[in-house]
Amino acid sequence: MSKTLKALFLFTDIGFVLYWIVTGLALIPKEYLYQNYHNELLVVWNWSFFPLDIFISLTGLYSLYLHKHNNLKWRNVALISLTLTFCSGLQAIAFWMIKVDFDIMWWIPNLYLMIYPLFFIPTLIKSNQPVKI
């Protein structure tokens, strides 16, 4: 695992956990909340990401643990984490596009979630291919 991927996993996975703690405790300043934040449907939509984001964090951190212990299964777990990270970002961006809401404060983190995995997924897929004899 590259140093870059390790750093991105730590940043993203700890970031998700912190986001959900801050969200759960309602610590995000009102000026940074997304449009119609108090609309019950939007609140439920946002919380629908909680299980996915926490699972992403668990798989990302677990892949770091496996890598540290020289367990080759880290690649599969990392691939799962990266794929789900991409999906999380894609779902949010798709929603904001359909809603025609282009708030840069919410687009940047979700574009990050969508784009950064694309730099690592192909390498992990190639490295997981069976050895040909």
Side-chain angles (χ1 to χ4, degrees), residues 27-53:
L27 298 176
I28 299 175
K30 291 184 183 200
E31 60 269 16
Y32 295 115
L33 296 174
Y34 48 81
Q35 189 181 53
N36 297 322
Y37 179 80
H38 295 291
N39 176 322
E40 184 180 339
L41 188 58
L42 288 180
V43 173
V44 171
W45 168 80
N46 188 50
W47 277 97
S48 73
F49 281 84
F50 174 76
L52 175 60
D53 293 348

Side-chain angles (χ1 to χ4, degrees), residues 12-100:
T12 304
D13 300 332
I14 292 169
F16 269 140
V17 172
L18 291 175
Y19 170 78
W20 286 110
I21 290 170
V22 166
T23 299
L25 296 174
L27 298 176
I28 299 175
K30 291 184 183 200
E31 60 269 16
Y32 295 115
L33 296 174
Y34 48 81
Q35 189 181 53
N36 297 322
Y37 179 80
H38 295 291
N39 176 322
E40 184 180 339
L41 188 58
L42 288 180
V43 173
V44 171
W45 168 80
N46 188 50
W47 277 97
S48 73
F49 281 84
F50 174 76
L52 175 60
D53 293 348
I54 295 303
F55 188 66
I56 289 166
S57 291
L58 292 173
T59 53
L61 295 171
Y62 185 52
S63 71
L64 292 171
Y65 171 84
L66 291 172
H67 183 267
K68 183 177 180 178
H69 290 88
N70 297 315
N71 186 329
L72 292 179
K73 290 181 183 177
W74 75 264
R75 288 185 179 98
N76 292 332
V77 178
L79 185 57
I80 290 167
S81 185
L82 289 167
T83 302
L84 293 177
T85 301
F86 170 83
C87 292
S88 181
L90 175 65
Q91 279 302 116
I93 292 296
F95 177 81
W96 297 120
M97 284 182 72
I98 292 166
K99 196 171 176 298
V100 190

